[in-house]
Amino acid sequence: SSSSSSSSSSSSSILQFGRAPLSLLYDYYTELAFSSIVLSTLLSMHLYRKSFHPNALLAEGGNSGNHPYDFFIGRELNPRPSYFTTFDWKEFCELRPGLIGWMVLNLGMACKQHEKTGRISGSMMLINLFQNGYVWDALYQERAILTTMDITTDGFGFMLAFGDLSWVPFTYSLQARYLVDYDPQLSGCQLLGVLITNFVGYAIFRGANGQKNQFRSDPDAPGVSHLAFLQTKRGTKLLTSGWWGMARKINYTGDWIMGFSWCLLCGFDSIVPYYYAIYFCILLIHRSVRDDCLCAEKYGRDWDDYKRVVPYRFIPGVV
């Protein structure tokens, strides 16, 4: 009897060790979010103190002399530990912990829905497919972030640390969390419509970004050598055909369409899941305006000429 009890206890221990209780991520969502905010704050404080090292390369916008502002926006451009100089804090946080954390949280929400209802709904399956695919794409295309404004221009301070480690995983997973308790039980046709919407957004987003990155790395490559461009006095070539001849921020349009499709999976009973589409729209408009000002300063009259050739910002023929 003692041997049987010991065997049962051992089997139970093995079972518990072998399972990942991801549904606990739903139960401790608030505590985990708070912990991530504390972590991002501590990291920001460390990096701000480190930015006063004599050899630190400072970001132009983060060296204003206003301490609260510089702490928020980021003073050092690419902070690296002195003992591990090949590790870049900003590039690491931009993709790895936040995006992977977002994916794991989504899986936890799916586990919780299954625990509560005995099944995983079509909406929950698709939100995991869409968003986890989005994360995979970002990690697979990691090299492409090296030319983005976050990496080349912005310092790494509280804004990006909080955004990468707290805001992204715990607000971008809102749709999956909502579906645990308020799944709209969409029909097959409705799910198909959302699937098509997401695919259209991804095709625009990946097509435009892929074309830009290929042109930047090798303008003579067969896939982009036929594209028209405007040669600037700085030596830079600005695409005026292909995806980038349609609109100056066509990739933002595709990105937003994908995000909107995630919200659609939650139905129309609440505006809460649509926070992402609303927030992301405001963010992308702000970023496009900021980018336009920087490019006007960078290219001068060439930027005015470029805007005459490509007059639309997001949607060809509309805006």
Side-chain angles (χ1 to χ4, degrees):
S1 174
S2 175
S3 172
S4 173
S5 173
S6 174
S7 174
S8 173
S9 174
S10 174
S11 298
S12 175
S13 298
I14 293 172
L15 253 176
Q16 288 182 341
F17 181 78
R19 288 178 58 191
L22 291 178
S23 61
L24 290 176
L25 296 175
Y26 174 92
D27 300 327
Y28 293 98
Y29 195 82
T30 305
E31 292 86 345
L32 289 167
F34 178 76
S35 299
S36 75
I37 294 171
V38 172
L39 176 63
S40 60
T41 303
L42 292 175
L43 176 61
S44 302
M45 292 169 65
H46 164 69
L47 295 178
Y48 186 68
R49 181 189 62 82
K50 179 183 173 299
S51 71
F52 289 92
H53 189 278
N55 297 325
L57 176 62
L58 304 183
E60 185 176 345
N63 190 26
S64 68
N66 182 323
H67 292 293
Y69 176 80
D70 291 346
F71 170 79
F72 176 79
I73 208 71
R75 193 165 183 269
E76 190 172 359
L77 184 62
N78 293 103
R80 298 181 178 193
S82 57
Y83 52 85
F84 191 18
T85 56
T86 59
F87 179 85
D88 189 303
W89 273 111
K90 183 166 64 172
E91 185 184 351
F92 172 75
C93 290
E94 186 82 8
L95 290 181
R96 303 300 177 84
L99 290 187
I100 294 174
W102 173 19
M103 182 175 69
V104 173
L105 283 169
N106 277 354
L107 293 174
M109 300 309 119
C111 289
K112 189 65 177 182
Q113 188 188 62
H114 186 271
E115 182 182 288
K116 291 181 69 174
T117 67
R119 59 186 291 272
I120 298 176
S121 69
S123 287
M124 183 65 85
M125 288 182 187
L126 284 186
I127 201 68
N128 273 271
L129 175 66
F130 293 165
Q131 295 186 343
N132 295 356
Y134 186 86
V135 170
W136 174 86
D137 179 81
L139 295 174
Y140 183 76
Q141 304 287 345
E142 183 175 11
R143 183 180 299 179
I145 73 164
L146 297 177
T147 59
T148 62
M149 188 181 297
D150 284 356
I151 298 295
T152 62
T153 306
D154 294 337
F156 190 55
F158 180 78
M159 180 181 73
L160 286 180
F162 170 76
D164 294 339
L165 302 178
S166 302
W167 185 264
V168 167
F170 289 98
T171 64
Y172 286 22
S173 58
L174 180 61
Q175 286 85 22
R177 181 172 171 80
Y178 179 87
L179 289 171
V180 173
D181 300 305
Y182 306 103
D183 194 292
Q185 303 299 327
L186 299 181
S187 67
C189 289
Q190 290 171 320
L191 292 173
L192 179 61
V194 176
L195 181 65
I196 292 171
T197 302
N198 186 81
F199 178 78
V200 169
Y202 180 77
I204 297 170
F205 174 76
R206 178 46 49 212
N209 282 332
Q211 189 178 77
K212 176 182 67 175
N213 294 330
Q214 187 177 23
F215 186 80
R216 281 178 172 174
S217 59
D218 183 9
D220 298 320
V224 293
S225 59
H226 65 285
L227 296 175
F229 59 86
L230 187 151
Q231 181 71 58
T232 68
K233 295 180 180 64
R234 290 176 56 94
T236 309
K237 298 175 180 178
L238 301 176
L239 284 171
T240 56
S241 66
W243 285 107
W244 299 94
M246 297 181 188
R248 300 191 301 274
K249 293 295 180 186
I250 191 73
N251 58 329
Y252 286 6
T253 304
D255 207 355
W256 186 84
I257 290 172
M258 278 192 291
F260 183 62
S261 74
W262 306 341
C263 303
L264 289 174
L265 288 170
C266 298
F268 300 101
D269 290 338
S270 172
I271 196 173
V272 171
Y274 287 84
Y275 119 87
Y276 178 83
I278 297 168
Y279 146 78
F280 203 43
C281 180
I282 296 169
L283 174 71
L284 293 179
I285 291 172
H286 175 265
R287 289 193 119 193
S288 72
V289 171
R290 186 176 69 149
D291 190 48
D292 191 71
C293 293
L294 290 172
C295 287
E297 183 179 335
K298 181 178 179 179
Y299 296 114
R301 290 185 178 180
D302 287 333
W303 187 248
D304 295 329
D305 294 338
Y306 171 68
K307 289 171 70 174
R308 279 191 285 271
V309 178
V310 187
Y312 300 104
R313 183 171 295 187
F314 298 116
I315 304 173
V318 180
V319 64

